[in-house]
Amino acid sequence: MAMARRSASRLLSSFRPFSLLLQPLDDAPSLAAAAAAASARRAMSSASALRVRDEKEVARWRDSMERMRNIGISAHIDSGKTTLTERVLYYTGRIHEIHEVRGRDGVGAKMDSMDLEREKGITIQSAATYCTWNGYQVNIIDTPGHVDFTIEVERALRVLDGAILVLCSVGGVQSQSITVDRQMRRYGIPRVAFINKLDRMGADPWKVLNQARSKLRHHNAAVQVPIGLEEEFEGLVDLVELKAYKFEGGSGQNVVASDVPSNMQDLVTEKRRELIEVVSEVDDQLAEAFLNDEPISASQLKAAIRRATVARKFIPVYMGSAFKNKGVQPLLDGVLDYLPCPVEVENYALDQNKSEEKVLLAGTPAGALVALAFKLEEGRFGQLTYLRIYDGVIRKGDFIYNVNTGKKIKVPRLVRMHSNEMEDIQEAHAGQIVAVFGVDCASGDTFTDGAVKYTMTSMNVPEPVMSLAVSPISKDSGGQFSKALNRFQKEDPTFRVGLDPESGETIISGMGELHLDIYVERIKREYKVDAKVGKPRVNFRETITQRAEFDYLHKKQSGGQGQYGRVCGYIEPLPSGFDGKFEFDNMIIGQAIPSNFIPAIEKGFKEACNSGSLIGHPVENIRIVLTDGASHAVDSSELAFKLASIYALRQCYAAAKPVILEPVMKVELKVPTEFQGTVTGDMNKRKGIIVGNDQEGDDTVVVCNVPLNNMFGYSTALRSMTQGKGEFSMEYLEHNTVPQDVQMQLVNTYKASKGTE
């Protein structure tokens, strides 16, 4: 028996797992500790595996973002912007043959947009295209430059990380170049300059370079020297790499590198020294090497130019002739070398939960999704919405939130635009520009994944200041006309459409003359609808200046149930600073008027305030107090009291001494100093009050408050006064009382128009 027990214990000890199971209960805590340690080791190994995977993912994203550029090409009209863009698309393989802007083949350049933009010489809508160069993705965004399209300009410039400013080597720095550069500076966009048309008679790149320094206040230097000029223009010498480049082949597609020509050695040495000097003024690392007389390598110089350009302290100047296919490829290399990638740019959002407080976005795919819809396009498959992603990742099939409308939307299809083709993609991350189909939104809407409530642009849209009556000439085109107006309202929140209750006409409202003219023209061009346009109308308002009593009895007997309603009370102006434009107070004690009729009385007063008696414009800043009244057991009705209140306001309105309010605009003028006297004199004639006068380099900045009614046709007048060099921006400030003589004139005009109807 003892022998059997010994052999059993030997057997048990040889099987350790079983022996563990048969241990006494006292050892249980040590077993639990061992199990916990094992699970902790497993968790650590899985966490480290996850971390490695995350690090790999982050490295992949970072590499993808560093190999991306979002740029715009801007220039004065006829500096060769479209021709340059055409070459960029050709060399990057986006298009397979070159068409000239005014080519004989009748095809026209790829990026030539609508006829209207060509005619007016301004960009109206932003557009985006995409290409690849040396393994980098380059999104080219066309930016509008005109002040009437403020919202469109802000959104397009917000999408850019860098820009190319094209200058003509003959025309030099022209008026539109100054405007475009000023806008880029305002939005803090790093840029490179490209002096185009070196093949033309009278080409002088050094004159243009000095003009950019004096007129645009650019801290710049050439990074290239041309080999010959005008008809003898052959190629370029790169001052950083010290190599000469010539462009061979039918379309200049073969770039041949060689040594610097011996006859240009002195000029190249002098210009390279100038480049190093200028950059070292704004870059400490290069300055140290330069002051110690150390030889500066190409990589050192390239790194210093990049640091200074991204910090917006320096602008490298490239040269070439886009039309003759020379200098475009080195310019593309310069975009990759010196302009920032999305990670290097600071973007701010406005937190709607904290009353539009500015928030710096991390710009990484790890954050919550924040994307801006900056362009809408009517495609074959419905609305195509271009998105710039600032933070996070967007995936096909994801649910996203429109912060502006509060709607939750599923992403049905995600594409990357490549020429006219669409490349379907499954996901896109921060820094990329993509397009989505089937998402109903307006231009400027912000999308998030619901974790944050950020908007990329302020949701405070300025009020329209000018209106026009429009109607289609042909009755058959009403459907297309409505479709056009609906689309434009979506694209531009400053463009509004309404109906005049009296005449039944369609009224469009916007930010100025040009703004509305462009939309009327676009209805004609894009929707083939001829529209009849009324005279421009300023959105006047009316208000009262003193208290007036009313006591009106509306009584009508016509056989059967009649109408009976009496209202008594007073009207008075609202105190200044009051939040709201209309207030109704019911101060009746007792049941002189049954309480179920009070809403009808308020509705009647509100309706009466839609059209004042002076000039038929809405009445604002009015308080109506109801103190007494009378009703009839049978004849009183909601309609009777509504009519009584409408007539009561008309009865006492004149006694309250009404006045007309007109929109006053804050106008900022920027004109060369020599035209200051003429421009300020003209402003005084227009009854403008000058509130500020500053000097900015060679320009004078005048800020004044002017009635909008006196600003019709001002853009033409300013151009003729300043030889096309002046520019102005206009934004709504407030509604202010008009002078007595103007009020009489407006009232008489209104009465005359009513008399002729």
Side-chain angles (χ1 to χ4, degrees), residues 589-616:
I589 297 162
Q591 284 288 310
I593 299 174
S595 56
N596 57 314
F597 293 137
I598 301 296
I601 294 171
E602 184 178 352
K603 195 177 176 186
F605 279 121
K606 265 190 177 161
E607 210 170 284
C609 286
N610 284 340
S611 174
S613 308
L614 285 178
I615 54 168

Side-chain angles (χ1 to χ4, degrees), residues 101-393:
V101 177
R102 298 181 184 86
R104 289 175 188 173
D105 56 6
V107 176
K110 182 83 177 176
M111 289 293 281
D112 255 355
S113 41
M114 50 174 138
D115 300 342
L116 190 56
E117 289 184 319
R118 277 210 298 272
E119 274 176 37
K120 301 258 181 195
I122 56 173
T123 303
I124 293 160
Q125 277 187 310
S126 51
T129 183
Y130 148 104
C131 55
T132 48
W133 180 252
N134 291 350
Y136 282 73
Q137 181 184 324
V138 182
N139 292 307
I140 301 170
I141 298 137
D142 195 9
T143 60
H146 209 280
V147 75
D148 265 47
F149 309 98
T150 312
I151 284 214
E152 194 74 27
V153 173
E154 297 224 1
R155 287 174 190 161
L157 287 167
R158 180 179 275 286
V159 174
L160 290 179
D161 295 330
I164 301 170
L165 178 67
V166 184
L167 301 167
C168 171
S169 65
V170 181
V173 173
Q174 291 153 290
S175 57
Q176 194 69 18
S177 321
I178 298 170
T179 309
V180 164
D181 183 72
R182 193 180 290 144
Q183 281 177 325
M184 287 181 189
R185 189 177 288 124
R186 193 182 303 146
Y187 292 98
I189 295 168
R191 51 208 180 277
V192 300
F194 179 67
I195 298 175
N196 194 16
K197 303 191 179 185
L198 291 187
D199 60 306
R200 274 186 58 190
M201 286 288 288
D204 186 350
W206 309 113
K207 175 198 80 177
V208 180
L209 194 99
N210 290 325
Q211 273 185 0
R213 285 175 185 168
S214 59
K215 288 188 180 179
L216 303 177
R217 299 277 183 270
H218 278 187
H219 188 77
N220 65 6
V223 289
Q224 293 173 329
V225 173
I227 303 171
L229 281 173
E230 299 176 3
E231 289 173 4
E232 293 164 17
F233 176 52
E234 291 176 18
L236 299 157
V237 174
D238 186 332
L239 296 176
V240 178
E241 303 278 358
L242 289 175
K243 290 246 175 76
Y245 293 107
K246 292 196 177 174
F247 306 89
E248 294 174 359
S251 304
Q253 64 271 43
N254 304 326
V255 182
V256 180
S258 60
D259 292 333
V260 178
S262 53
N263 62 337
M264 290 184 71
Q265 289 284 4
D266 294 346
L267 177 67
V268 168
T269 309
E270 178 202 328
K271 292 293 177 190
R272 190 174 198 263
R273 185 175 174 79
E274 185 187 317
L275 171 65
I276 293 167
E277 253 179 67
V278 173
V279 177
S280 62
E281 283 174 27
V282 291
D283 186 82
D284 295 342
Q285 290 181 38
L286 190 71
E288 203 175 315
F290 176 64
L291 292 171
N292 294 339
D293 272 344
E294 293 172 16
I296 289 161
S297 67
S299 58
Q300 268 178 297
L301 183 52
K302 198 176 268 188
I305 293 173
R306 180 173 180 79
R307 283 193 299 272
T309 307
V310 170
R312 302 195 306 277
K313 293 176 180 173
F314 175 74
I315 296 172
V317 179
Y318 283 81
M319 301 179 186
S321 165
F323 184 66
K324 295 284 189 213
N325 311 316
K326 292 185 172 107
V328 179
Q329 295 97 321
L331 174 66
L332 277 168
D333 291 337
V335 165
L336 309 186
D337 291 339
Y338 304 133
L339 288 181
C341 64
V343 185
E344 295 169 301
V345 178
E346 289 185 348
N347 286 303
Y348 290 92
L350 304 169
D351 191 342
Q352 295 303 319
N353 290 333
K354 295 181 182 172
S355 62
E356 299 207 341
E357 186 186 302
K358 266 191 165 187
V359 182
L360 177 65
L361 295 175
T364 64
L369 172 71
V370 179
L372 174 73
F374 70 94
K375 178 178 166 60
L376 309 179
E377 216 173 69
E378 287 293 321
R380 286 171 307 193
F381 311 107
Q383 183 177 300
L384 181 68
T385 308
Y386 284 85
L387 291 179
R388 160 78 200 257
I389 304 164
Y390 288 97
D391 248 5
V393 180

Side-chain angles (χ1 to χ4, degrees), residues 151 155 458-464 493-496:
I151 284 214
R155 287 174 190 161
S458 175
M459 286 165 74
N460 302 328
V461 176
E463 282 293 310
T494 56
F495 177 75
R496 312 270 174 90

Side-chain angles (χ1 to χ4, degrees), residues 554-565 597 631-641 643:
H554 175 67
K555 191 175 176 183
K556 195 175 181 186
Q557 208 66 43
S558 55
Q561 188 185 348
Q563 290 179 10
Y564 185 95
F597 293 137
S631 65
H632 188 278
V634 178
D635 290 352
S636 285
S637 64
E638 286 193 356
L639 177 64
F641 275 107
L643 292 170

